[in-house]
Structures are given as C-alpha cells and as structure tokens.
Amino acid sequence: MRTRAVRVADLTARDVERWRALADRALEPNVYLDPRWLIPSQRLHPDAGDLMVLLAEDDDALRGLLAFTVEPAWRGLPFRAVSTAGRFLGTHAERHHPLVDRDAVDATVDALLSGVGEHGLPGLLVLHKFVGDGPLADALAATLSRHGMREEEVGRRAWAFARAGYAPPTPGRASADRVEDRQGVELPAELALPTAGAKAVRNLRRSIRGLQAAVDEPVALMDRSDESDRVGAFLALQSAGWKGDAAAGGLAMGLAPATAGWFRAIAEAFQADGDLRLFSLEAGDEVLHMAVNLRSGDGVFGFIDSYDERFSRFSVGHIGRVLGLARMSATDAERFFDPDLDPFYTSGTGLYPDRRDRVDLLVGTSASSRLLLRALPLARRVRDRARRGVRASG
C-alpha cells in the first residue's frame, strides 16, 4: 500500500469520487472527513486554506485518509508535527480520526502511520480527538506495537453518544403521538421518556408546559430536511440573537458572507444526497429551535443548532435535542447518533444515553520523534516541580 500527501485543493475528481466511497464504508465514520464537509471547508472557510490529506492507496482503491496541517508541536520549541488539530480543524471539527476502510484495517493504519515522516513531513503525529475504544483504536495500538512506535496519551474525555439501535422506551400511558400531562396539557410523547433520568424528564416536561402556555400553541418537532429554504432560515435564526451582534462578541455565521457560504455549501451538499437531517421545533408560526445534523457512513452527526432567545427560559434547546434523538431513533435506527457536544456542556450531554471516550495522542513514528516523546515524562516532572516551587514561594 502506498501513500500520498496532497493539498485538498489539488485533489482530482477521481480522488474525490474514491474518497466519497471510502467515507461510506469507513470502519469509524467521521463526518468532518467526509468530502462533502471538508472540500467546501477548504474552498470557502477563511481558516481552512492550508488543509492537507494523507492518502493510503491500494491499486485503484482509496483505503485511508487523514486530514492534517503541519504545526509547531510546542510553543517556543523548534519542533513541528503533523497535527489533526490545526487552526481550522482544532476549532470546527469534533472528530479527528482518519477514515479507514473496514475491509483493510490493519494494512491501512500501518500505511498511514508509515506515511507520517515521509513526503517531507515531520515524524511526530498529533492525533486529537481520536476514538478511545473500538476496532480502530485496537488497530492503532497493534500497529504502534508492531513497529515499536511510541505513543503518549495527553488527554481523555467521555463524550455523549447514542449507539445504533437505540430505541427510546415507549411511555406507559401514551397514545401513538401524545401524552396527557396531569395538568391537562398535551405533551409530545418523547418527553415522557427517561432518556436522562426522572428528574431531567420532569424538568423538560415542566419547561414545555411553560412554553406552550407562553406561545398558546401546541409544540411539535418538524422534519424540514428536504426544504431548501430552511438552510437560510437557520442562518436567520442564529443571527437573530446575541450571536448576530458582533459588538457583543457574537459569531453567527450569517455575519460574514464567507462563513454563511461555507455553511450553505455543506448543508446543501448533504441535502442533495438525502443525508441532511434538519429538525425544527415549532409552535404555530414560531420557530423555537433548529438543529442541523449530517449523515455520513454508519453515523448521524450533530453539526450545529440554534434557538430563539426569547424562549431560552424554557430550555428549548434541550427539548429540541430530545425530540430529535427520538425521531432519529426511528428514521436512522441502524446508525449511531453523535451529537458532537463538548462534555463541558453537562446539562446538554446529560440528555444522551451513552458515552464514548475521545483521546488526544502524541505518536512518534520516526527515531527522532520517539526520542522526543521518551523525554516528555521527565520534562513534565521538571515542570510540575517548578510550579510547586513557585506556589510554595508565593
């Protein structure tokens, strides 16, 4: 198996065609390495122009793809690294693991790691937000052991997740579509489901009672995935609140033509293939919350959501996410759902039934990088000792 390192902008139409097929059959799907996400990013987002990919090829088949930039490994030190967490990916992508053909796992991981250090690239690899368990993690560990490459784990966190086949329990006292609340208010059936424990469900049901009273309309989750005008509606919703006020620090995509165009291009590319999941929480003519999700391979991924800030006290974001998960458990039952929601947001991540670890790794693929990683534990001890000394003297 051979490797190539190439700028995303220089890929041929044939390269992109094979890349799209690889994304569909990847062992661990990654929407951020789907060409429908990464190519518009490189072309339209102001921070993504320097994106490169390392390709692993066998005959005419593309077996693996790793997206990266070359970055300083540590501030102030003259070491550079092949990094999956550069300026653009580190900010906008919540998964950084490579696409690996499920029919050639070991050979592909072997080729990708061997390709780091070749093609004029540094032999030090920074793998950010790599899967912490499963067959791809096992294949990485086996390859590192087989070649004597050194690995240092520098971070690990548990992220919210819903595994394939997740089916919300059926409420005990529900009709097909609605649940009658004790106070006589009809609630969507999904809100009676114990997806996050009894207390969280009670809070959600309390929120929707207040919401329905405030808008004086039934609240419903609408699937707007096939409606082209809803992409623009999402941009308008996000820009309507404080995020649309640049003076207040808002970063709504609609504030800049470049980022608005980037978002539109991605959403429309997935929509054209039937792989956009755009859910809208509505009450009459009011749009309360919108969530844009993207399907890639065996997974559906949360891309971005937004809500009408006038109704923030009713936790409309939580309501929309719970209803969206219940909807996808029926429409995409054979796929997992990854909300790609940072664990920092504990109230939001608590709505999801499962967890999967993501890890940050340093991998030394060359002799010099392995020596560098071997020195890290000593450097950390010296640093920690110095910090303790500073605190003691203070």
Side-chain angles (χ1 to χ4, degrees):
M1 196 173 291
R2 64 190 181 277
T3 59
R4 282 192 293 148
V6 61
R7 295 174 62 243
V8 172
D10 294 334
L11 290 168
T12 68
R14 176 59 178 154
D15 288 332
V16 175
E17 180 184 355
R18 296 184 304 150
W19 180 3
R20 179 73 179 85
L22 174 63
D24 280 341
R25 66 176 188 272
L27 177 70
E28 283 277 1
N30 184 350
V31 72
Y32 303 104
L33 266 62
D34 190 301
R36 297 170 294 177
W37 195 91
L38 202 63
I39 289 176
S41 296
Q42 185 281 325
R43 183 167 52 89
L44 297 171
H45 198 284
D47 293 338
D50 57 349
L51 280 174
M52 297 186 68
V53 287
L54 182 64
L55 308 176
E57 300 167 304
D58 183 7
D59 296 327
D60 195 43
L62 181 61
R63 301 292 188 181
L65 181 143
L66 175 73
F68 70 94
T69 52
V70 177
E71 306 282 339
W74 294 281
R75 186 178 300 174
L77 294 177
F79 303 109
R80 295 179 70 75
V82 171
S83 174
T84 65
R87 179 176 58 172
F88 176 74
L89 292 174
T91 302
H92 297 285
E94 299 297 356
R95 282 177 167 235
H96 294 188
H97 61 79
L99 297 178
V100 171
D101 192 329
R102 60 168 55 118
D103 295 326
V105 177
D106 292 336
T108 302
V109 173
D110 192 298
L112 288 173
L113 288 183
S114 298
V116 175
E118 300 175 353
H119 314 292
L121 299 174
L124 182 63
L125 173 62
V126 180
L127 283 172
H128 191 60
K129 294 180 181 175
F130 193 83
V131 289
D133 57 52
L136 183 57
D138 294 342
L140 176 66
T143 298
L144 294 175
S145 175
R146 186 163 56 248
H147 292 282
M149 296 177 180
R150 189 172 183 88
E151 171 198 62
E152 288 287 335
E153 183 178 312
V154 295
R156 177 180 290 263
R157 293 194 298 168
W159 287 61
F161 196 69
R163 299 185 184 278
Y166 166 71
T170 302
R173 51 184 183 85
S175 65
D177 299 311
R178 314 292 285 184
V179 171
E180 186 76 12
D181 182 74
R182 290 179 183 175
Q183 296 184 16
V185 178
E186 281 195 334
L187 304 179
E190 294 91 336
L191 286 179
L193 305 177
T195 58
K199 181 177 180 181
V201 171
R202 285 197 302 271
N203 289 341
L204 280 170
R205 300 181 81 229
R206 185 180 303 115
S207 294
I208 202 168
R209 282 200 301 271
L211 178 62
Q212 291 188 157
V215 298
D216 196 27
E217 293 276 2
V219 174
L221 186 79
M222 307 300 294
D223 187 344
R224 305 295 189 185
S225 303
D226 297 329
E227 301 176 21
S228 58
D229 63 319
R230 297 294 168 156
V231 174
F234 177 88
L235 289 169
L237 177 65
Q238 190 191 40
S239 296
W242 73 268
K243 288 185 179 181
D245 184 356
L251 297 173
M253 291 179 293
L255 288 176
T259 51
W262 166 68
F263 171 76
R264 279 185 178 275
I266 291 173
E268 290 170 359
F270 281 85
Q271 188 176 52
D273 293 334
D275 288 336
L276 179 71
R277 298 289 180 270
L278 197 160
F279 298 136
S280 179
L281 185 68
E282 301 175 10
D285 294 332
E286 298 280 5
V287 175
L288 312 174
H289 173 264
M290 296 182 79
V292 178
N293 307 300
L294 309 173
R295 185 174 72 182
S296 180
D298 292 335
V300 180
F301 301 82
F303 182 23
I304 192 168
D305 67 348
S306 192
Y307 61 89
D308 188 326
E309 292 174 9
R310 293 176 300 162
F311 304 102
S312 60
R313 68 186 183 279
F314 301 116
S315 302
V316 291
H318 286 3
I319 295 168
R321 288 169 182 162
V322 168
L323 296 180
L325 177 59
R327 177 69 58 87
M328 282 185 289
S329 72
T331 61
D332 293 277
E334 74 282 9
R335 294 176 172 86
F336 65 75
F337 178 64
D338 187 341
D340 276 330
L341 190 61
D342 193 291
F344 172 81
Y345 301 103
T346 54
S347 60
T349 56
L351 301 171
Y352 298 94
D354 304 310
R355 295 292 180 271
R356 282 196 75 186
D357 283 355
R358 298 184 196 182
V359 297
D360 299 335
L361 304 169
L362 300 176
V363 178
T365 68
S366 65
S368 59
S369 63
R370 289 196 290 270
L371 287 173
L372 185 62
L373 292 186
R374 193 171 291 120
L376 273 182
L378 175 61
R380 289 185 182 128
R381 287 196 295 271
V382 171
R383 178 200 62 191
D384 294 343
R385 196 172 296 133
R387 287 176 176 174
R388 287 194 297 271
V390 169
R391 286 196 293 268
S393 64

